Amino acid sequence: DTGVSQNPRHKITKRGQNVTFRCDPISEHNRLYWYRQTLGQGPEFLTYFQNEAQLEKSRLLSDRFSAERPKGSFSTLEIQRTEQGDSAMYLCASSLLGDGGEKLFFGSGTQLSVL
Amino acid sequence: ELKVEQNPLFLSMQEGKNYTIYCNYSTTSDRLYWYRQDPGKSLESLFVLLSNGAVKQEGRLMASLDTKARLSTLHITAAVHDLSATYFCAVDYKGGADGLTFGKGTHLIIQP
């Protein structure tokens, strides 16, 4: 499978717990993005990496959120002390920086439910 | 504040009809993308439009970009049920930095 892979597909947690999601991008892609999508809305940008460097973070990304991309390969998104408002679909996307525009390839997402 | 507005947000149409979805954006950009999302699924890239006047077609879908008007359209010709989905436009303002800014999506239902 050469697509973007995300794990887990679903996560149910209690408020206050920490959760971590993983994203494996398409292997030759150097850019990796995290988005959040709630029901009836378009995806909202959270952060992105170029190789291992985290280059941009949205103001949506509070201090409880942290993302890493060690060695420029897979990435993890951790949410500490989850709140009910964190319930959403978390989407990962990857792309290859080039001249032909930035076509993002999205994973299937991790659906987070905070009880 | 950067804004990407789509209309309509909901559209129910019959098979065989033609219709157009509009995407307006608030800040200069010459990179616009259209995505399709089926219920419970992720986003699938449809079109990448990179310059003023760009037009791309795939099957019954055709997308165009007018950067001067800050407007993109997605035209559906002779709609079929399989095209039922939510369609998003997204704008790239910074060459990838800050990612893409998405519209709220157009939920399209095509009835037999």
Side-chain angles (χ1 to χ4, degrees), chain A residues 1 8 16 20 26 29 51-52 61 71 80 90 95 101 105 114:
Chain A
D1 186 5
T20 300
I26 294 172
H29 284 183
N51 300 312
E52 68 275 9
L61 211 65
K71 302 179 182 178
Q80 295 182 327
Y90 289 85
S95 71
F105 293 81
V114 182

Side-chain angles (χ1 to χ4, degrees), chain A residues 1-7 9 24-28 94 105-108:
Chain A
D1 186 5
T2 57
V4 177
S5 176
Q6 291 188 248
N7 288 290
R9 285 283 281 127
D24 288 272
I26 294 172
S27 58
E28 63 268 27
S94 69
F105 293 81
F106 282 84
S108 298

Side-chain angles (χ1 to χ4, degrees), chain B residues 10-73:
Chain B
F10 297 96
L11 176 58
S12 178
M13 56 191 294
Q14 289 187 320
E15 282 191 322
K17 300 291 187 182
N18 304 333
Y19 209 81
T20 300
I21 299 170
Y22 298 89
C23 174
N24 290 92
Y25 53 98
S26 63
T27 300
T28 300
S29 172
D30 57 3
R31 295 182 174 218
L32 190 135
Y33 304 77
W34 284 96
Y35 285 85
R36 167 181 173 150
Q37 187 175 37
D38 292 298
K41 302 292 179 66
S42 192
L43 287 88
E44 173 191 355
S45 177
L46 294 175
F47 300 108
V48 179
L49 302 170
L50 299 178
S51 61
N52 186 41
V55 177
K56 292 204 173 172
Q57 183 165 4
E58 179 76 30
R60 300 174 187 274
L61 300 178
M62 182 174 71
S64 65
L65 178 62
D66 181 343
T67 59
K68 294 181 180 178
R70 299 177 188 171
L71 171 68
S72 180
T73 61

Side-chain angles (χ1 to χ4, degrees), chain A residues 97-110:
Chain A
L97 179 60
D99 295 332
E102 190 121 9
K103 182 176 175 179
L104 269 61
F105 293 81
F106 282 84
S108 298
T110 294

